[in-house]
Structures are given as structure tokens and as C-alpha cells.
Amino acid sequence: MRRSDLGEFEEVVLLAVAVLSPKAYSVIIAEELERETGQTVSTGAVHAALQRLEQKGYLSSQLGEATPERGGRRKRLFTVTALGGRVLNEVHSVRTRLWERIVPQTILKWS
């Protein structure tokens, strides 16, 4: 994996898709990120990140069923691809290895 291919926001969007799958779509992803971060997340920013992640092959999408609450429109539902899963695993491994190397006294100083 080329780490530069995955920005921080893209990473959390990709993680949110993994958490919310198979019902992951832009609005619910934005709501999940707001709940987790405590910050406002626009659906436009999520939509743009979803498009980039799909272009990179980390996500796939399909249209869901039409719903009355959406005026008969269909939602685009996203799922993590095998490549996206490998990228998430690699990012998790790198972060875990780095966290494990921090001396406990250093972490206590941050508290």
C-alpha cells in the first residue's frame, strides 16, 4: 500500500463504511462520524471521499431499493472491497506498532 493514497478523512470514512455495512450511505456515514468525533461533518465532504475511495478501489457501491421517505429515490450503498480491507488492516498494524513503542511514562505526561 502507498500510504499517501489514504488521507486521514478518507481513513475514517472507510472505517465508518466497514462499521455501517451493508447500510452505509453518505448521510448515515456523516452522522456516525459526527457522533464519534463530536464535530460537524458535511454529507458533501463524505460524498467526495466516498467517490475517491471508490476510484481507488477501496470501496464498491450499488443502488439500494427506492424508499418512500426519499421520494422514491434510491440510496447508493457502499461496502469495503478486499483491497480496502487490506489497506485498513495495514494502517491499523502500523498505528498499533507505533503506539506499542511509546514509553508508558510519556503517555502519562500527556494526561
Side-chain angles (χ1 to χ4, degrees):
M1 175 190 85
R2 297 178 320 221
R3 180 66 179 102
S4 61
D5 283 353
L6 189 65
E8 181 182 357
F9 187 69
E10 289 177 341
E11 181 182 340
V12 293
V13 169
L14 189 57
L15 283 167
V17 171
V19 167
L20 297 168
S21 192
K23 299 189 183 292
Y25 64 98
S26 60
V27 173
I28 199 163
I29 292 167
E31 290 171 354
E32 179 71 15
L33 294 177
E34 285 185 359
R35 190 171 25 261
E36 286 297 323
T37 65
Q39 298 178 6
T40 302
V41 177
S42 77
T43 54
V46 169
H47 184 72
L50 289 169
Q51 285 182 327
R52 289 191 305 273
L53 290 165
E54 192 168 23
Q55 288 171 351
K56 293 175 183 181
Y58 300 160
L59 293 177
S60 62
S61 68
Q62 64 182 18
L63 289 175
E65 297 298 317
T67 58
E69 57 269 5
R70 291 182 43 88
R73 293 190 340 249
R74 300 164 72 184
K75 297 174 188 169
R76 180 159 296 279
L77 303 172
F78 292 86
T79 55
V80 178
T81 64
L83 177 60
R86 286 193 299 273
V87 167
L88 284 177
N89 282 332
E90 186 170 329
V91 169
H92 181 264
S93 294
V94 168
R95 290 180 186 270
T96 300
R97 285 192 306 270
L98 288 169
W99 272 106
E100 288 172 350
R101 291 175 49 203
I102 297 174
V103 179
Q105 292 81 1
T106 302
I107 294 173
L108 289 174
K109 289 179 189 175
W110 298 340
S111 300

